Amino acid sequence: MLSPTEARLAASTDLDALASVEVLRLLNAQDRVAVDAVDAVLPQLAQVVDIAAERFRRGGVIHYFGAGTSGRLGVLDAAELLPTFNLEPGRVVGHIAGGERALVHAVEDAEDSDADGRADAAGIGADDVAIGLAASGNTPYVGGALATARAAGAYTVLISSNPHAALAPLADSNIVLETGAEVLTGSTRLKAATAEKLVLNGFSTALMVAVGRTWSNLMVSVVATNAKLRRRTVRILQEAAGLDEDDARAVLAAADGELKTAIVSALAGTDASASRRLLDDHDGSVRAALAAASDIDIHSTDESPPQSTHTEGESQ
């Protein structure tokens, strides 16, 4: 059955006769469809986040597999997590059909290789999560990767814009983004990709929140690799601990520039060594480390994060 992404959109049949501003308005209006499509799958996506977080804590790896635009979006999301959340290399990995060359050059036939997908997924383990990204839901490269991941015991997810995706049987969770026909027929780099990007943003950010890579709404795991980020680190510590700039810089220096350590030191009154031990004992969670320093049950305050109600035994 033809994917909805390949159908013609009635509202854009006169696309080439429109003024530029009308083309842009039409594209913008259809982008709103992408936002609504993501809203509709949030409960299902939350279950995936909870399962991924549980596996991530056990040392599992999150893998994205895609071709073309979908593959690029997966690689982009994985790459951006490293500096934003001080994520160790290899914990979230993006795989694209055709390899690194396909990031900047179209390698259109690469998506047709089931064997390449299987090869790229060969190292996946039972604690891992494999997320297939395919607007059509039919990409052989993604199918090969999901089949191999599933055989290894990994949790598998398909994100597509096709309710009749051929790859759906390979997924423990089949997330369908109802984006429909594109303004430019078949060009899934438009709203199908926009919806996919929003899902990836939401999934990876919620995952990092769940595993303690944030505190409040602050990027406390950010790696200060340039002047802008060093200034941001100081501002975050000021926001978190109510310090002026000079004091914040002094606390950061005592913590060897480690922002989480500095926050715990400033708020708990512990030295850098004790703050590091608290963080190490609580999986790097600032909230849990501070609660332990105060001898408070971390689940007894209003600010405690909600606990997952989903387990892998539940149906998806």
Side-chain angles (χ1 to χ4, degrees):
M1 182 178 292
L2 188 70
S3 171
T5 60
E6 297 299 317
R8 293 185 71 188
L9 183 70
S12 64
T13 53
D14 292 328
L15 185 66
D16 60 340
L18 298 177
S20 295
V21 70
E22 294 304 322
V23 172
L24 294 172
R25 284 176 178 148
L26 181 55
L27 288 165
N28 182 249
Q30 289 297 308
D31 283 341
R32 298 172 195 275
V33 174
V35 174
D36 290 341
V38 173
D39 181 68
V41 303
L42 292 181
Q44 189 180 8
L45 184 60
Q47 294 184 26
V48 174
V49 170
D50 290 342
I51 290 169
E54 182 180 338
R55 287 174 172 241
F56 188 92
R57 293 187 196 100
R58 298 201 302 255
V61 175
I62 314 300
H63 295 267
Y64 299 138
F65 295 93
T69 300
S70 294
R72 293 182 192 105
L73 289 174
V75 171
L76 174 65
D77 192 75
E80 290 182 340
L81 299 181
L82 276 70
T84 304
F85 298 103
N86 195 17
L87 188 64
E88 302 82 357
R91 297 305 310 277
V92 177
V93 182
H95 306 268
I96 182 170
E100 287 188 12
R101 180 172 178 271
L103 290 172
V104 292
H105 298 284
V107 187
E108 298 296 349
D109 60 342
E111 70 178 65
D112 295 330
S113 178
D114 175 280
D116 284 356
R118 291 179 182 275
D120 284 353
I124 283 183
D127 275 341
D128 295 348
V129 176
I131 300 177
L133 305 166
S136 70
N138 302 323
T139 308
Y141 170 84
V142 174
L146 289 180
T148 298
R150 192 171 222 195
Y155 190 82
T156 57
V157 182
L158 176 65
I159 299 172
S160 81
S161 288
N162 186 359
H164 309 290
L167 302 184
L170 298 174
D172 297 306
S173 182
N174 177 34
I175 296 178
V176 179
L177 299 163
E178 299 274 7
T179 53
E182 297 284 3
V183 170
L184 184 63
T185 304
S187 183
T188 52
R189 61 178 285 272
L190 299 176
K191 62 181 173 181
T194 297
E196 216 170 61
K197 173 61 173 165
L198 291 172
V199 165
L200 289 173
N201 281 352
F203 166 77
S204 59
T205 303
L207 174 64
M208 293 296 100
V209 171
V211 299
R213 297 290 174 130
T214 63
W215 182 67
S216 182
N217 61 349
L218 299 173
M219 290 195 297
V220 296
S221 298
V222 66
V223 182
T225 54
N226 57 40
K228 179 188 75 173
L229 293 178
R230 284 189 287 273
R231 290 192 297 270
R232 179 179 293 167
T233 298
V234 173
R235 290 198 303 272
I236 289 172
L237 181 55
Q238 288 182 261
E239 289 281 347
L243 301 175
D244 64 26
E245 183 175 345
D246 288 341
D247 286 344
R249 290 185 183 279
V251 174
L252 268 170
D256 296 326
E258 298 166 6
L259 181 54
K260 283 186 175 183
T261 300
I263 290 172
V264 173
S265 293
L267 293 178
T270 50
D271 63 23
S273 257
S275 298
R276 286 191 193 98
R277 283 196 300 273
L278 283 165
L279 287 164
D280 288 344
D281 289 345
H282 294 88
D283 299 319
S285 169
V286 171
R287 185 175 299 279
L290 289 172
S294 303
D295 196 26
I296 298 171
D297 180 354
I298 64 169
H299 303 318
S300 67
T301 69
D302 291 339
E303 293 185 334
S304 296
Q307 300 302 298
S308 167
T309 58
H310 304 294
T311 66
E312 292 191 36
E314 293 178 353
S315 61
Q316 306 300 316

